[in-house]
Amino acid sequence: MLPDSNAPVLDAGCGSGRDYIEFSSRGVDVMGVDLSIGLLKLAEEAGCRKLAMSDLRKLPVQDASFAGVWSCASLVHMPPSGSRKAVSEFGRVLMPGGVLFLTVRHGSGTEWRNDGAGGSRWFQLYGKDELESIVTGVGFSIQTSVVEPGLVRGSWISVFATKGPK
């Protein structure tokens, strides 16, 4: 779906680099951003090179820098107001015609979940209409939006959207 297969992709919330490595192995020019310095260190150890520590609501890159933004389970740790700001930032950094993929946990409300290391993590769940409203509300056109069983816990909403020309 990328408008220019040679243009870069932003892995927004790259975590330990799993998806970054997959993109890179396919020849995609990818940059990863994450707010966690610990996860960025793991990504670097895994071979990721273009990395930046950043809040997704204020990305450290120029306007129209990417052909695609990949946001896999990155918005699950912010409330809808924060996700709206992040998706708006994704639009800012995308080139006209650029593609956005995002996926979040499906449901309503919030939950705390054990992290397996003696702590817990907070998750925001999203309804399909709620997520679609966030995406279209900042100017994206939804191409597909589906709720599917996830590989990890519960159902997930996956959205592919495009940025129109300005």
Side-chain angles (χ1 to χ4, degrees):
M1 293 181 68
L2 293 171
D4 176 354
S5 61
N6 294 320
V9 169
L10 178 68
D11 186 352
C14 65
S16 62
R18 179 197 69 196
D19 297 339
Y20 181 116
I21 291 165
E22 180 65 26
F23 282 121
S24 186
S25 75
R26 294 172 184 241
V28 175
D29 177 15
V30 61
M31 175 183 178
V33 296
D34 204 284
L35 191 56
S36 168
I37 191 69
L39 288 173
L40 287 170
K41 285 180 182 178
L42 290 174
E44 188 174 44
E45 289 169 8
C48 304
R49 293 295 166 246
K50 290 184 187 176
L51 298 169
M53 189 171 114
S54 175
D55 188 316
L56 299 180
R57 296 167 289 191
K58 188 161 177 55
L59 295 167
V61 296
Q62 295 180 358
D63 295 358
S65 299
F66 297 93
V69 172
W70 179 264
S71 176
C72 184
S74 303
L75 303 180
V76 296
H77 303 298
M78 46 178 91
S81 61
S83 291
R84 199 170 293 106
K85 288 178 185 173
V87 175
S88 180
E89 262 302 87
F90 298 161
R92 180 186 69 77
V93 304
L94 274 174
M95 300 170 182
V99 179
L100 168 67
F101 169 79
L102 60 91
T103 186
V104 296
R105 278 279 311 282
H106 181 248
S108 62
T110 62
E111 70 179 14
W112 284 93
R113 188 178 338 150
N114 291 335
D115 66 5
S120 60
R121 293 173 51 191
W122 179 84
F123 287 82
Q124 175 71 48
L125 308 178
Y126 289 85
K128 187 173 187 279
D129 291 343
E130 177 182 28
L131 184 62
E132 290 175 354
S133 177
I134 289 170
V135 172
T136 59
V138 297
F140 282 97
S141 297
I142 294 175
Q143 304 304 307
T144 63
S145 176
V146 297
V147 177
E148 304 173 294
L151 297 174
V152 178
R153 200 173 194 162
S155 337
W156 291 74
I157 308 164
S158 296
V159 173
F160 277 101
T162 53
K163 176 183 174 180
K166 289 258 179 182

